[in-house]
Amino acid sequence: MNRPAVPGFFRHLWLLWGLRFDIGLNRGPGKSRLLAVGAFLASSAPGALFGLFFYSLMRIGPIARSDVWPYFILNLLCFVTFSVWVTWPLLSAGVDDHSELSRYAAFPISPFRLLIASTVASLFEPRALVFYAPLTGAALGFASVNPLWSPWIAVVLYVMFALLCAAWSRVALYAVINVLREKHSAEIMGGGLVLFLVAASFIPPIDTSWLTAVGEAGVDALDMTLIINAAVALGRVPPGFFGDGLGQLAWFRPRVAMAEAVGLGFFAAMGMAVAYALLMRFHRQAGRAGPQMKDSGDRNPFARTRTRFATLVTREALDLWRNPRARLLASVPFILAILLKLLSGRDLFVFLLGRSADAWLMGGLCIYGAVVIASTFSQNTFAYDGQGFAAFLAAPLDLGDVLRAKNQVQALGAVGMAVLVALFYRVYFGFGTAVDVACALASVLGVVPMLLAAGNFLSLYFPVKFHASLKRRDKVPLTASMLGILAASAGCMPFGWALRLAGKEGPTWTTAALIGGAAVLNLVLYRLVLPLALRLLEQRKEVVLKAVTRE
């Protein structure tokens, strides 16, 4: 019998795209492929708007005729695009994209080739289309105004830049999952956060005095030396090679542009090598038995729970506390706050928003912290604890109590996270009034019920399997992600509307009361739809069990 031929690289690429599409659809009996395609297009639609905006921006007369602004914008977009791609695994806690190696273990494909195919496949996901859209629009706008010596070299530069971003994004992704796999992941992340805070305190903040000059005398008052130096500095780091290469082609220097394309390829290859080493380390660790847990002795957390519901709440709280993903998510708002101060971002918001800046910033960070905690676990509420749902079905329990306990713990975790973020902002920045804190926390109290209500239904109709052996779960279907985003947006709307009404004069207690009133309405809505979710849970419990325990 002849041995079957090994599939080619493009065949593997097609298999990966098909796998990701099926996961995004969560395919099964009765699932619509048209719905998945619609969700894909809807989630990618903002990319078209961003691309058109920056394309038009580069064609505006003052910018198109300038010898500085086009290159500054291009190099800045290169840096921002690269930074977003690399930090995205941390910002979104998207630590599930490593699973292709285990899924394709029985296929005739080497791990390194699979890594390359998976990296290329990641460039065509909805988030990639959105992230690359501003730079793509700016580059096309620049090329439409400035004739390039050889357009094909520009295409090579663009491809190399995309591979650079994808490769180093994989480095960050696999570094994160290696940390989450470690026994002392909480100590590692906590120590890293403290070191980052200490290191940031020694870096002088960026001078933002030019904002005052621009506000008083317009853009003409801006010192162009600052923009020129920034454009040159951004063009000398690897992500800026793409923007600088386009400039070299416009100046008819193709050899320099090709050298920068080679530089992009070199750093992309370096990233792939590091990513491969980190990925193989993770899978070597994942194949071993987990650490032996010591007996807790008399420190039994369930010894003092007097009711069955209190026992369920304690169990859910412990599961959430010990979840490595929750630890990662808990660190993100604090890292964003540190970066915001390091880059003098608050000064920019004060310039734009006046006395409302601290309410916007504090509320935004609090909402982000609450959303990443509540939505991540509420949208997978029956599987983030591994095989826990199977144990609940086998126990003499009312599943309604299980869902209520999960919701209560998720809500307390989100609100507690928001309180910590608000206190950290007040102490770290030294700004923010009691009204600002009240508005921020009231906004969280408004968005959490919406997230829990949506998460209950999404967990019932889009159950996601958790792989306890690899500390990972399948991807949340794209449709479920979009619906979750809509629920979060609806919960945040009262906060945005109230602060817009307050204007630059800053929020008042009336503003806080408006946000609090909306929070009460959202809580009432959650209570009204909860009985429906409980009835559906009884009807769909076998479907959910089959989905979250499938192999």
Side-chain angles (χ1 to χ4, degrees):
M1 182 177 180
N2 295 331
R3 182 180 179 181
V6 177
F9 173 76
F10 290 103
R11 176 58 179 169
H12 283 140
L13 195 61
W14 182 257
L15 289 173
L16 281 176
W17 278 330
L19 170 67
R20 293 187 174 201
F21 188 81
D22 288 345
I23 293 174
L25 177 58
N26 198 20
R27 278 179 63 185
K31 299 295 179 64
S32 170
R33 179 177 291 267
L34 182 61
L35 182 62
V37 174
F40 181 94
L41 295 177
S43 59
S44 305
L49 300 177
F50 293 149
L52 290 174
F53 172 79
F54 281 95
Y55 176 83
S56 302
L57 179 66
M58 298 296 284
R59 292 174 60 88
I60 294 177
I63 293 179
R65 292 190 297 268
S66 173
D67 295 329
V68 178
W69 283 108
Y71 307 103
F72 172 74
I73 294 173
L74 279 174
N75 291 344
L76 180 62
L77 285 175
C78 288
F79 180 78
V80 171
T81 303
F82 178 82
S83 300
V84 170
W85 254 112
V86 173
T87 57
W88 186 251
L90 179 62
L91 297 178
S92 65
V95 294
D96 309 315
D97 295 339
H98 65 280
S99 56
E100 284 87 1
L101 185 58
S102 59
R103 292 179 183 277
Y104 283 88
F107 281 64
I109 180 174
S110 66
F112 186 70
R113 185 175 176 184
L114 180 59
L115 171 64
I116 296 175
S118 178
T119 303
V120 174
S122 69
L123 294 173
F124 296 91
E125 295 180 346
R127 64 182 180 187
L129 301 180
V130 174
F131 291 162
Y132 282 103
L135 181 59
T136 304
L140 292 175
F142 177 82
S144 67
V145 176
N146 302 275
L148 303 182
W149 186 85
S150 182
W152 70 269
I153 298 181
V155 175
V156 173
L157 284 166
Y158 184 84
V159 171
M160 290 295 103
F161 174 80
L163 292 176
L164 174 76
C165 294
W168 285 99
S169 176
R170 294 278 147 171
V171 172
L173 172 66
Y174 300 146
V176 168
I177 64 175
N178 271 283
V179 170
L180 295 183
R181 178 65 185 177
E182 292 294 330
K183 178 181 179 182
H184 301 289
S185 61
E187 291 84 350
I188 294 174
M189 285 186 286
L193 182 61
V194 172
L195 289 176
F196 182 49
L197 179 60
V198 172
S201 65
F202 288 100
I203 301 176
I206 296 175
D207 182 17
T208 57
S209 59
W210 58 272
L211 283 173
T212 305
V214 172
E216 295 176 352
V219 179
D220 294 335
L222 186 62
D223 184 7
M224 292 304 296
T225 304
L226 176 66
I227 303 300
I228 294 172
N229 292 337
V232 172
L234 291 171
R236 288 177 177 174
V237 295
F241 289 175
F242 172 66
D244 191 71
L246 290 182
Q248 298 296 339
L249 291 176
W251 296 330
F252 300 100
R253 298 172 184 171
R255 293 184 179 180
V256 179
M258 283 301 299
E260 291 182 312
V262 172
L264 287 172
F266 171 77
F267 286 106
M270 182 185 298
M272 292 298 295
V274 176
Y276 178 73
L278 291 173
L279 179 61
M280 296 308 296
R281 181 185 184 279
F282 170 80
H283 280 282
R284 284 194 298 269
Q285 294 292 329
R288 300 175 184 174
Q292 295 294 325
M293 303 300 294
K294 296 181 180 180
D295 294 336
S296 60
D298 294 333
R299 299 177 60 186
N300 182 3
F302 303 104
R304 298 181 180 179
T305 55
R306 298 182 179 181
T307 64
R308 183 169 57 186
F309 185 76
T311 302
L312 289 174
V313 171
T314 303
R315 177 194 180 279
E316 294 301 326
L318 289 173
D319 278 342
L320 190 63
W321 175 260
R322 295 169 179 170
N323 192 294
R325 190 181 181 92
R327 298 168 184 172
L328 174 64
L329 290 166
S331 66
V332 175
F334 301 99
I335 294 176
L336 291 177
I338 296 171
L339 288 175
L340 188 67
K341 186 174 182 179
L342 183 62
L343 299 175
S344 299
R346 181 184 174 276
D347 294 337
L348 177 60
F349 280 95
V350 170
F351 173 75
L352 296 174
L353 302 172
R355 296 179 182 177
S356 298
D358 290 305
W360 279 105
L361 287 174
M362 187 186 297
L365 290 172
C366 290
I367 288 174
Y368 181 82
V371 166
V372 294
I373 290 291
S375 65
T376 298
F377 296 100
S378 67
Q379 292 181 25
N380 190 33
T381 195
F382 301 115
Y384 69 79
D385 57 350
Q387 304 294 326
F389 190 63
F392 285 136
L393 281 182
L397 292 172
D398 181 7
L399 288 181
D401 289 340
V402 175
L403 185 59
R404 292 188 189 95
K406 287 177 177 290
N407 282 181
Q408 181 174 321
V409 170
Q410 291 156 7
L412 291 176
V415 174
M417 183 71 186
V419 172
L420 291 177
V421 172
L423 292 175
F424 180 80
Y425 182 96
R426 181 64 186 84
V427 174
Y428 186 57
F429 285 88
F431 293 96
T433 65
V435 176
D436 296 332
V437 176
C439 290
L441 297 182
S443 67
V444 172
L445 294 177
V447 74
V448 168
M450 296 293 290
L451 293 174
L452 295 180
N456 290 339
F457 290 100
L458 292 176
S459 298
L460 291 170
Y461 286 98
F462 300 93
V464 179
K465 177 178 172 53
F466 182 90
H467 302 260
S469 61
L470 296 181
K471 302 293 184 184
R472 67 170 174 84
R473 63 190 174 109
D474 286 346
K475 281 186 176 182
V476 174
L478 183 59
T479 306
S481 297
M482 294 297 297
L483 293 175
I485 292 173
L486 290 176
S489 301
C492 295
M493 282 181 181
F495 173 72
W497 287 338
L499 287 187
R500 286 179 182 175
L501 290 175
K504 291 188 176 183
E505 297 302 317
T508 62
W509 286 110
T510 302
T511 308
L514 290 174
I515 301 174
V520 173
L521 292 178
N522 288 346
L523 180 60
V524 171
L525 177 62
Y526 164 76
R527 297 289 299 177
L528 291 176
V529 300
L530 181 60
L532 176 59
L534 297 178
R535 289 197 298 271
L536 288 174
L537 175 59
E538 287 294 334
Q539 298 171 8
R540 298 182 58 83
K541 58 184 179 181
E542 297 296 337
V543 177
V544 173
L545 178 65
K546 181 179 179 181
V548 302
T549 59
R550 69 183 186 273
E551 293 297 341

